[in-house]
Amino acid sequence: MTRPRPRRRLPLVALLCVLAMLAAFALISPGGGTQAKWAGSQQMTLPAIGTGRIDLAVRPTAQGTDVEAGVANSSGFGLEYAPTQVRFAARSGSTTTAEDVNTFLNRGAGTSFAVHTATGCASTTTGARWSSPRVDNTTTGSLTTTASGTPAHEPLATGAADRPLCLGVRPDATTRDVLLTSAGREFQTTTTVQAATVAPGSWSTTVPWTSVHAVDLPTATARTGTNGASFTLGWAWPDTASSTDPTTTPAVNRWEVQMRSKTSATTGTWTAWSALGTVPGNRRNVTVTPPTSGSPWTTSTQFQFKIRAYPFAGTAKYVESSTMWQYTRSGTTYTRASTFPTNPTPGPVGYDALSLG
Amino acid sequence: MTARPAPPPSAAPRLTRAGVAGALALLLLTGAQVTHSAWQDTETVPVGQIRTGSLGVDLGAATTTVSHTDLTPGATTTASTRTTTRTLAPGAPASGLVVGDVMTTVVPVTIAATGTNLEATLKVDPVRAAGTGALAAEVNTGTTMTLTPTGGAPMLSPVRGQADAWAVTAADDGATYALTVTTRIRPTTDGAARSSTVGTGNWWAAGLQGATADPRALTVRVTQN
């Protein structure tokens, strides 16, 4: 006997039909918007970005007795600049000592530094754009000081080249006094030049400007000469009017007399007259007594003398007199010529092109 | 006559009734605006009048400028400055920028949006810059965007809760907007006026000098809501 199929399937089919109709009805009824997800896009490229950098150059254009530089701005944008610091010390590798630095800086009320924006240090003794206060208590052989001015900075347009900067070293002493104590000394100045973008930008950098500042080493000048078996040679230094040197720490370490014999046919070589011993640096004359025997004293009748100044111990650096003494021997008597011949090669010797050369 | 006992209650009728009741409830809950009356009408529509909608954007040619503050020509003081703007050649990088400079790219964006009851969102997505670390970060944080109607286009409303996104409807179809992307390199590390002592405080000093940020892709996308 087979069991009748359950009649429950009919209502279930009816239920599914109703649900299907409802679903179809819900889908086709206007719900207020389409249910699709349309989209579209396009792309573009924003440019790459590269930043510049401050490119300030401070190139020395004069060193030695004048310290000048040219300032150039290759940044591609305008700058403002100012020297903010100066360091003063002995030139690296030179024979100038820490004590020379102290002596130079501490004269009078001390030394100050002035920076000008005009060419020519010699013509810019006043009206400094930036300056530092005087300092007279240096004991360490170097000085670092700040420079300031109002307004603080100068404009420097892009592309500006060789804008002059002149560093004036201003000891509290006359030129003559400086020479008497510091002639031939070589110092090194390191000026910190600060550069920044103009407002509102805030990039900044510093560039060191290193230069040699050397004090001149003048030539001596033959001034007087007596006659006789012994005679006195007198000279002037550091200027032609100077016959005395009151300083206790003279710039000249020692003087040396050089002599050569001269005949109508031959001219001898210059030799130091060592018999005189050491002639102190603050002397301005020396009395010589030529030997009465031996060559060339008895073989030559013409003699020339010149004076050599050594600013330091040793013989590497010196300067000679610009003029010479010329004597004629007759027996044991020496008579000076009325004129002082010119010394064609007075020097100075031992200095490079950055300082006195 | 003996009464026949009532048949036991069957589960099928109850299930059917429950299904019909649920269906009716669902029917009542779906769209109150739907009428279920049997009204009908018939119109003859010519073939070809049936159109689908559209959605898209079209970008025009971009123009990029850089504004920079510098000394006026012949300036005798550092306070004598002026701000100038230069236009980059198409595709050229913005090189030699200085802190405080502003790079601005303007590109026309034309919207295509047709369709009944169409609602969409216009979104601008710049790719984050890569390159020298500090500058890339500065570029990313310093980039802002605006969308300005041109030629009488209707104003677009920003989408709440989304950056650089605007609501678009079919009413905006054909409208053109100027998308302005501004990249600002702050003049100082905090964006404020520079402190009085050069090189200290909020000065960038050597920061961001000689740095690079790579080109950035910028996608303008319109998506149906």
Side-chain angles (χ1 to χ4, degrees), chain B residues 75-177:
Chain B
T76 56
T77 71
T78 57
S80 180
T81 60
R82 66 174 183 174
T83 300
T84 57
T85 300
R86 63 185 166 101
T87 302
L88 301 183
S95 56
L97 265 58
V98 181
V99 286
D101 285 0
V102 179
M103 184 181 81
T104 304
T105 299
V106 179
V107 57
V109 177
T110 301
I111 295 172
T114 58
T116 306
N117 298 319
L118 180 64
E119 292 180 350
T121 299
L122 178 73
K123 184 88 169 69
V124 181
D125 287 317
V127 172
R128 292 181 64 80
T132 310
L135 180 62
E138 184 69 15
V139 165
N140 288 327
T141 58
T143 298
T144 58
M145 278 169 282
T146 61
L147 201 63
T148 308
T150 63
M155 184 75 76
L156 295 185
S157 301
V159 175
R160 185 172 297 177
Q162 290 191 57
D164 306 319
W166 293 267
V168 170
T169 68
D172 304 314
D173 180 51
T176 300
Y177 299 83

Side-chain angles (χ1 to χ4, degrees), chain A residues 11 15 18 22 25 30 32 34 36-44 46 48-52 54 78 80 197 200-204, chain B residues 16 19 23 33 36 59 70 78 94 96-97 99 117 187 194 203-205 207-213 215-216 218-220 222 224-225:
Chain A
L15 174 64
V18 169
L22 288 171
F25 187 79
T34 174
K37 267 291 185 184
W38 292 343
S41 67
Q42 279 207 352
Q43 200 171 67
M44 61 168 292
L46 297 173
I49 293 176
T51 56
I54 295 178
E80 52 188 51
T197 52
S202 63
W203 278 347
S204 63
Chain B
T16 302
Q33 76 279 27
H36 297 284
L59 303 185
D70 210 324
T78 57
L97 265 58
V99 286
N117 298 319
R194 61 190 195 182
W203 282 66
W204 282 110
L208 300 187
Q209 291 194 45
T212 56
R216 290 172 290 165
L218 183 141
T219 303
V220 180
V222 58
Q224 186 182 5
N225 294 342

Side-chain angles (χ1 to χ4, degrees), chain A residues 84-90 101-102 105 111-113 132-147 188-192:
Chain A
T84 56
Q85 190 179 77
V86 179
R87 185 174 189 274
F88 191 86
V101 176
N102 298 340
L105 292 175
T111 299
S112 67
F113 301 90
S132 71
R134 288 195 180 280
V135 177
D136 68 347
N137 58 356
T138 302
T139 59
T140 57
S142 69
L143 169 68
T144 301
T145 184
T146 57
Q188 183 167 295
T189 60
T190 304
T191 307
T192 300

